[in-house]
Amino acid sequence: FTPTTAGKYQISYQAFSGSGSIYAGIYKNGSEFYRTQQATSSLGSVLMDFNGSSDYIEFYAMNVGDTIIEGSGNLYTYATGAWIRS
């Protein structure tokens, strides 16, 4: 995700696994910015600054053990971003 308007953005995500622990997180410009680890569902929300040109984020999820990260519509695994203000 690369916003083209500078300012503060509310970034939220969730990664869901049917069983076992799951890590999920946000990387900003290639470096880990925020991470959570929980059993079956890992979610987080953070306010981030973006310069409106070169700043970008990526979302990653990793399950622990032999489980599947599930993604059916927006019920299980998703990421959202909303511009809040300049």
Side-chain angles (χ1 to χ4, degrees):
F1 174 64
T2 306
T4 57
T5 301
K8 294 193 178 294
Y9 285 75
Q10 182 70 40
I11 306 297
S12 301
Y13 67 86
Q14 174 176 298
F16 181 81
S17 171
S19 62
S21 294
I22 187 167
Y23 294 91
I26 301 168
Y27 279 65
K28 182 177 180 183
N29 300 328
S31 298
E32 185 178 78
F33 185 84
Y34 185 78
R35 177 177 55 161
T36 56
Q37 175 192 3
Q38 297 168 338
T40 67
S41 181
S42 187
L43 56 99
S45 186
V46 65
L47 193 62
M48 299 178 73
D49 290 310
F50 289 90
N51 64 16
S53 59
S54 61
D55 283 341
Y56 68 95
I57 56 172
E58 300 168 291
F59 300 92
Y60 289 94
M62 180 183 80
N63 60 337
V64 178
D66 191 21
T67 61
I68 297 171
I69 297 173
E70 298 182 28
S72 175
N74 63 355
L75 298 177
Y76 298 111
T77 300
Y78 65 88
T80 64
W83 179 78
I84 303 297
R85 65 180 173 90
S86 299

